[in-house]
Amino acid sequence: MSIVDRWLLPDGVGDILPSQAKRVEEVRRKLLDLFSTWGYDYVIPPMIEYIESLLTGTGRDLDLKTFKIVDFMTGRTMGVRADMTPQVARIDAHSLNSEGVTRLSYAGTVIQTQVDSMLANRTPLSVGAEMFGDSTSKADIEIVSLMIESLKSLGFEEVHVDLGNVDIFRQLMSEFSLHADYQEMLHEAVQRKSIPEIVVHCQAAGLSENDSFLLSQLPGLTGNTSVLDRARSLFKGHDGIVTSIENLQQVADSISMRFTNLKIYFDLSELRGYAYHTGIVFAAYLNGSRSLVAKGGRYDGIGKVFGRDARGATGFSIDVKSLAQKVLTTEGLPKCVWVVDVPSGAEYSLWQRIQQLRLDGFTVVESGQPDGFDYRLEFQNDQWQLLSGEIQ
């Protein structure tokens, strides 16, 4: 093994160096403090779990992203978490098992075998909030509002929110009673917004001309609020789908009222997380960038797989590492003080002075000259003096 091989990190894995680490930690703390004011209690799930628990109800995508290891104590397969939402759902359903609404927040590193793009990080620091026990639009409005407020609290004024609802596609699949293979092919075609593929798959599945028309219209239902009017007209004979559209309208109206400078984009063919999402899905972008900074959605019924009655669930997560790179910090670094020399007999008085300086917000370096410093601490006239500037 060469020297280079010893320090070379895997693709998509990197260190967070001091200046960036400080910013990442500040963002993490700020978000968790904000979540607390909204009533979300902090939990810390384990890094590894048995694979049956870790991937329950999540679908194939998360399975492919999860590292598997063997527990030498039991011989069972364990997984290193690639997403914390299933863990928080398990905590709600099994560890807490509380009645009524439960609000939980979390923060931790997740590790993924593969990522969605070449430049993505395989070890994101995920911070998020999840609400359980409420299936109403009020819960959707709260969780989307909290996502937006999270970004606003970090100084981002121009936030762009995408809204969709996977239940529209789910209801169509249920109504058409298609085989799972056709459902999967149509899901992928709709997600890619490939109308020719949708038409071909509909014909192969034996769908009627009208049913094929409904599915082929989904990729075009994107844009501003007029999209919802078009969708109401298109699905006017499908009461359940109209209800899903009305839920989107309620969420959009509420967050538009709460937040100024908010841009909302509707995409009724957005099927991200289709394997476990059951209703509204949403994502946030900044300043016109198409780089996603937060995402979430509704995933009702996940508690059932943990042995509890099905209950409402919705939430979102933020990759703090990526977001911290975009945060503009206004606070300067603490002023640095260098202890130049310590005369014999002045050690205790020095310690008292250092303690006070640190309480006052200074960074104090006792050993070795720092690369840069604002003040030096010297013993003069029988007392410690805080002097400005370099030594002459």
Side-chain angles (χ1 to χ4, degrees), residues 228-301:
L228 301 187
D229 294 330
R230 289 162 47 203
R232 289 187 188 94
S233 176
L234 184 65
F235 297 108
K236 61 184 178 182
H238 305 260
D239 293 342
I241 292 178
V242 172
T243 299
S244 296
I245 296 169
E246 294 303 330
N247 182 53
L248 272 180
Q249 185 75 69
Q250 291 179 42
V251 173
D253 290 346
S254 294
I255 62 177
S256 294
M257 178 270 297
R258 293 179 175 187
F259 301 98
T260 59
N261 300 324
L262 181 67
K263 297 181 179 180
I264 300 176
Y265 180 86
F266 295 95
D267 185 350
L268 302 193
S269 62
E270 175 55 69
L271 302 179
R272 182 185 63 252
Y274 174 72
Y276 61 92
H277 280 312
T278 60
I280 184 174
V281 290
F282 47 88
Y285 304 83
L286 300 175
N287 303 323
S289 169
R290 294 308 298 171
S291 177
L292 183 150
V293 295
K295 63 180 179 179
R298 176 164 289 282
Y299 53 103
D300 291 347

Side-chain angles (χ1 to χ4, degrees), residues 43-102:
V43 294
I44 307 177
M47 180 65 75
I48 57 174
E49 292 193 36
Y50 289 122
I51 202 72
E52 297 88 352
S53 171
L54 198 61
L55 298 181
T56 296
T58 61
R60 181 171 177 268
D61 289 346
L62 191 61
D63 186 12
L64 293 176
K65 289 186 176 183
T66 302
F67 280 97
K68 279 85 170 181
I69 57 177
V70 175
D71 181 4
F72 287 169
M73 295 180 66
T74 64
R76 294 176 60 184
T77 301
M78 296 193 296
V80 182
R81 67 186 182 202
D83 183 5
M84 295 180 73
T85 299
Q87 296 184 294
V88 180
R90 174 186 54 74
I91 289 173
D92 168 69
H94 180 71
S95 302
L96 295 178
N97 197 20
S98 301
E99 297 296 330
V101 175
T102 300

